[in-house]
Amino acid sequence: MRALRILLLTPPMTQLNTPYPATAYLMGFLRLHEERLGLEVAQADPALELFLRLFSRAGLAQVLEILRQRLQALDAPDEGDGDGPDEGDGPDEGDGPDEGDGVDELAASEPDEPSEPDEFDMDEVPASLANFFAQAERYLDTVDAAIRFLQGGDPSLAHRIAGRRFLPEGPRFAQLGVAPGGGNDRGGDRGDDDGDDGGGDDDDPLHWAFGALGVADRAKHLASLYIDDLADVVRDGIDPRFALSRYGERLAAAAQSFTPLCEALEGEPTLVDATLDQIAQELCERHRPELVGLTAPFPGNVYGALRLARAIKRRAPHTRIVLGGGYVNTELRELSEPRLFDYVDYVTLDDGERPLLALIEHLQRGEGPLLRTFVRQGGAVCLQTDASLHDVPLRDAGTPTYVGLPLAHYLSLLEMLNPMHRLWSDGRWNKLTVAHGCYWKKCTFCDVTLDYIARYDPGSAEKLVDRMTAMIEETGQTGFHFVDEAAPPSGLRALAERLLARKLAVTWWGNIRFEKAFTPELVELLAASGCVAISGGLEVASDRLLALINKGVTVAQVARVTRAFAEAGILVHAYLMYGFPTETVQETVDSLELVRQLFAEGCLHSAFWHRFAATVHSPVGQRPELFGIRLRPLPAVTFARNDVGFDDPTGVDHDWLGEGLRRALYNFMHGAGLDEDVRSWFGTRPRPGRWSGRRQQGRAVVPAPAVAPDVIRRALRGA
């Protein structure tokens, strides 16, 4: 077999504080086969690189220049349209790139020049842009220092940032004037602030969160708001598809047709597009890959993945490109769109290890079976798979490795002051898995028919600790995030016992089910081994709906389990759901009341409301009649198929209710509003429609909770 150069990439955008684990997992697996197959495997994070280039002095100078040109164009006399920038050539027509043995010499092409977004009306300039124009030089002078501080490279700068005279402040800072609960109505004006980072409660809008201490965290929060302001500038003035954790998400979310994505890819590039094109071409020059693997875990990565693929193909047309990831696994299982293969050569489903290994051997030999891999043949899409090939067990998947990734360049952001919520964006975490799939796999809203849920494969605790040890030696980091769908109690017990027996001092957190197996004794063991936080699905705090969901828990059980974790000093986050089929207004209000009680009793520290969506892979989507709903017919789908609309006979306006649920939860997470009547979080309903509540003096009034105010307290007492 001939050697093969492989490059694994994470497209923009994902979290900025730590690498998304897909490439690290795949690289760890492929390293087991490097010598046998003659592989040269590398990985890179163009998502991080895109952010760092845009959020730099040079990047902001480009942003400013584009925005100033647009302002000048508004003032200039109309001289006709003129000649705009040439459109870049799209991929060749036909069946895709030629099959070849090697990689072409790098084509002498240049990245597309960025285009100017549509002109904006100066009378309607967003606040983000107005602030940026007013303080542009200060932003250019401080951005590199702020990024360096958030990377952990200049901790002494915290004192200047906390003093609130170093960084320019924009619209995102207005929230500092109002503590949760609305107790401070002074807005963001600091008046004659002398720059001290201490001060009393009356002078300091952040005193409620940090007190007189916490300079480093205070500064990190302020610097994060500064980054948010700049992200708003890029979104509002340069590319409306851009956000810190997603890029072009709307183009891919529930995209039944590929046309919007294709038109965006072949349209005039924005500064964000052109920067990513340049990054892709530089990666081609540096690594000269023959096979590129792109992961698209979310809709907000798909446009970035295809943008990278397009630029790579233009630079080195014979480079093979394979696309996989969570979005592909759930949305593209019925793929029939041949135009996707103008950008990529292969699309693989489910766990990537075995399909990628089969593809590598196929390319090296010029033949051989593929596993769960879409290809284009004769202009049509077909799925090639061989039943004799099997997925790689977790024990044989290898140790994830971050070799090649610039770990020191990731940023810790502190946008949400809640201590549990910050774990997702603050600090760098090594990622591992206790068990593949879900040992419960019965929840009716979940994609229980798909491999990532259905194929349960627990790993060995001894091997898991070996992998943790290896990752600590490689990265110097002892923090771990276990990314299981639901880590099994038995697996966590075994892990904790091995960590303690081997005296390995680590910090870890992960996702579980709030089931009765998590006894106070087990929870204390987990805490002793280094567990600092857990997350789990409560979904709907209604025993009727929990039974319909087939969650296998009750509200009282969840209360006792979460309280045991909290009493052991472990932070608890709950995933919540609203809008489940047949859920009434009364049940939504009751659910919020029980969530309030869980926060008030110290069972929860953080939570997030998700709007229910029916998917074609879930029991709800496959047997809707069992849940009292009727699915809406889907149009002809050639690209993505996952979410499916439905009609619920209750007619409840869940969108409106969701606004109140989110308001309440934000305050609960900051210790505010826990004594308030939960009806107070629902404001006036803005539009008429079907409604099971009542109106009073022009105000839509939700019903009072039907559950007692001490349900959770009695559950904790065993009543």
Side-chain angles (χ1 to χ4, degrees):
M1 292 186 185
R2 65 182 182 83
L4 191 68
R5 293 186 298 274
I6 302 171
L7 178 61
L8 306 174
L9 300 178
T10 301
M13 293 294 295
T14 57
Q15 59 195 121
L16 294 171
N17 63 306
T18 198
Y20 189 77
T23 63
Y25 274 55
L26 289 173
M27 187 164 178
F29 170 71
L30 291 179
R31 290 178 82 178
L32 300 176
H33 302 272
E34 271 183 325
E35 184 175 350
R36 177 176 67 88
L37 297 176
L39 306 179
E40 297 177 17
V41 187
Q43 62 182 327
D45 191 345
L48 176 68
E49 183 63 25
L50 175 64
F51 171 84
L52 293 176
R53 292 197 187 186
L54 291 174
F55 291 71
S56 66
R57 183 181 185 91
L60 291 189
Q62 289 181 284
V63 170
L64 181 61
E65 178 62 23
I66 290 173
L67 295 178
R68 282 177 171 167
Q69 289 177 4
R70 293 173 62 195
L71 284 177
Q72 292 172 0
L74 290 176
D75 296 332
D78 185 6
E79 297 179 356
D81 293 334
D83 293 329
D86 293 336
E87 293 190 7
D89 295 333
D92 293 337
E93 295 294 329
D95 289 341
D98 295 333
E99 299 283 327
D101 293 331
V103 61
D104 278 3
E105 288 299 314
L106 298 178
S109 62
E110 295 296 329
D112 292 324
E113 290 296 322
S115 67
E116 297 180 4
D118 295 337
E119 293 184 354
F120 49 74
D121 186 342
M122 277 303 296
D123 294 333
E124 300 178 356
V125 171
S128 60
L129 300 187
N131 169 71
F132 183 66
F133 283 129
Q135 304 192 78
E137 292 306 317
R138 289 191 65 199
Y139 278 109
L140 266 62
D141 290 342
T142 55
V143 64
D144 290 337
I147 294 295
R148 190 166 57 249
F149 169 73
L150 289 171
Q151 290 172 329
D154 191 1
S156 63
L157 191 61
H159 296 278
R160 294 194 68 189
I161 294 175
R164 298 187 65 183
R165 288 186 178 275
F166 179 69
L167 297 179
E169 299 187 2
R172 292 287 189 139
F173 285 76
Q175 64 183 275
L176 296 181
V178 182
N184 185 343
D185 61 358
R186 292 178 297 137
D189 188 3
R190 299 194 312 278
D192 297 325
D193 181 15
D194 62 4
D196 290 340
D197 53 77
D201 194 2
D202 292 339
D203 301 321
D204 183 2
L206 284 177
H207 188 275
W208 67 272
F210 299 110
L213 300 175
V215 171
D217 277 352
R218 179 192 299 254
K220 189 181 291 185
H221 179 54
L222 294 170
S224 298
L225 296 179
Y226 166 94
I227 295 298
D228 287 340
D229 271 328
L230 289 176
D232 291 344
V233 171
V234 175
R235 181 199 65 207
D236 295 339
I238 301 298
D239 191 335
R241 302 167 300 196
F242 179 82
L244 290 180
S245 59
R246 59 189 66 89
Y247 178 34
E249 181 179 54
R250 292 186 179 180
L251 293 170
Q256 297 164 353
S257 168
F258 186 65
T259 296
L261 267 168
C262 187
E263 291 176 347
L265 288 163
E266 300 308 323
E268 293 187 358
T270 66
L271 174 63
V272 181
D273 293 334
T275 304
L276 187 58
D277 290 348
Q278 182 64 47
I279 292 169
Q281 296 196 19
E282 291 173 9
L283 287 170
C284 263
E285 294 169 357
R286 185 180 314 134
H287 297 282
R288 298 178 61 83
E290 296 164 280
L291 176 64
V292 173
L294 294 168
T295 179
F298 312 111
N301 302 102
V302 176
Y303 177 77
L306 297 181
R307 187 92 212 170
L308 286 168
R310 178 182 183 274
I312 292 169
K313 285 291 188 184
R314 295 187 70 195
R315 190 67 170 172
H318 285 303
T319 302
R320 318 294 178 78
I321 300 178
V322 55
L323 176 68
Y327 175 88
V328 175
N329 299 340
T330 55
E331 305 267 353
L332 301 188
R333 303 194 76 87
E334 300 176 29
L335 179 66
S336 62
E337 173 55 78
R339 288 178 296 172
L340 176 61
F341 294 86
D342 292 337
Y343 302 91
V344 302
D345 302 284
Y346 309 96
V347 177
T348 66
L349 297 176
D350 301 326
D351 279 11
E353 286 86 355
R354 194 64 185 92
L356 184 56
L357 188 61
L359 175 60
I360 290 168
E361 294 173 337
H362 173 85
L363 293 175
Q364 288 182 317
R365 295 170 178 160
E367 60 179 2
L370 297 176
L371 178 63
R372 298 191 303 267
T373 301
F374 285 108
V375 297
R376 181 170 63 182
Q377 292 182 335
V381 178
C382 63
L383 179 66
Q384 294 191 1
T385 194
D386 189 312
S388 68
L389 300 178
H390 302 286
D391 280 298
V392 177
L394 185 58
R395 67 175 182 273
D396 298 329
T399 300
T401 176
Y402 296 105
V403 168
L405 297 180
L407 298 183
H409 294 176
Y410 289 86
L411 295 81
S412 287
L413 298 178
L414 181 51
E415 298 164 303
M416 172 73 77
L417 298 178
N418 177 275
M420 172 71 203
H421 221 74
R422 69 184 289 182
L423 293 179
W424 277 276
S425 64
D426 185 18
R428 212 198 65 71
W429 301 95
N430 296 319
K431 309 274 187 170
L432 277 171
T433 305
V434 178
H436 180 280
C438 178
Y439 66 95
W440 178 251
K441 52 187 174 187
K442 296 179 182 178
C443 296
T444 57
F445 64 84
C446 191
D447 294 336
V448 296
T449 59
L450 298 186
D451 178 80
Y452 79 98
I453 297 292
R455 184 168 59 85
Y456 178 60
D457 177 18
S460 155
E462 190 69 35
K463 185 173 287 290
L464 181 58
V465 175
D466 288 343
R467 289 172 176 168
M468 295 173 73
T469 302
M471 295 180 78
I472 292 171
E473 291 175 354
E474 176 188 296
T475 67
Q477 300 285 334
T478 60
F480 288 85
H481 179 198
F482 296 111
V483 293
D484 298 65
E485 294 300 319
S490 59
L492 291 179
R493 178 183 289 276
L495 169 64
E497 290 172 345
R498 295 314 304 150
L499 288 172
L500 293 170
R502 292 172 58 166
K503 300 185 185 303
L504 189 63
V506 298
T507 301
W508 64 269
W509 61 294
N511 195 54
I512 66 166
R513 293 180 64 248
F514 294 131
E515 64 160 85
K516 60 184 179 182
F518 287 105
T519 62
E521 175 270 332
L522 174 55
V523 167
E524 289 290 347
L525 178 67
L526 301 183
S529 73
C531 178
V532 296
I534 55 94
S535 57
L538 168 57
E539 319 311 348
V540 180
S542 158
D543 284 340
R544 182 188 80 85
L545 291 172
L546 285 173
L548 195 59
I549 289 172
N550 199 14
K551 191 68 183 177
V553 301
T554 65
V555 173
Q557 177 182 312
V558 170
R560 289 190 286 269
V561 171
T562 54
R563 181 64 171 270
F565 277 103
E567 289 182 343
I570 296 173
L571 297 171
V572 181
H573 175 88
Y575 296 108
L576 304 170
M577 180 188 298
Y578 67 99
F580 194 78
T582 71
E583 181 177 353
T584 65
V585 174
Q586 183 68 66
E587 286 173 320
T588 302
V589 173
D590 290 350
S591 183
L592 179 58
E593 167 59 20
L594 292 174
V595 169
R596 180 197 68 80
Q597 293 182 32
L598 287 166
F599 273 96
E601 294 296 331
C603 299
L604 297 181
H605 303 94
S606 173
F608 187 83
W609 290 104
H610 298 262
R611 172 69 187 270
F612 169 79
T615 72
V616 296
H617 312 296
S618 69
V620 171
Q622 295 182 345
R623 298 290 304 277
E625 69 278 4
L626 299 180
F627 303 90
I629 60 172
R630 185 180 63 220
L631 299 184
R632 297 169 189 164
L634 284 172
V637 174
T638 59
F639 190 57
R641 182 174 184 262
N642 188 37
D643 292 1
V644 55
F646 63 92
D647 294 315
D648 189 328
T650 60
V652 173
D653 188 347
H654 293 294
D655 289 336
W656 179 78
L657 287 171
E659 297 172 7
L661 295 174
R662 288 187 290 272
R663 269 195 301 270
L665 198 56
Y666 177 83
N667 282 272
F668 294 169
M669 287 195 296
H670 293 92
L674 293 174
D675 296 325
E676 300 289 331
D677 186 324
V678 295
R679 290 176 292 180
S680 66
W681 301 110
F682 300 97
T684 303
R685 187 163 176 261
R687 59 186 183 276
R690 292 177 295 175
W691 182 245
S692 58
R694 59 190 177 86
R695 289 187 177 273
Q696 183 178 5
Q697 296 180 350
R699 183 182 181 86
V701 181
V702 298
V707 295
D710 61 347
V711 170
I712 301 301
R713 183 171 301 172
R714 287 188 287 109
L716 294 172
R717 292 174 179 171

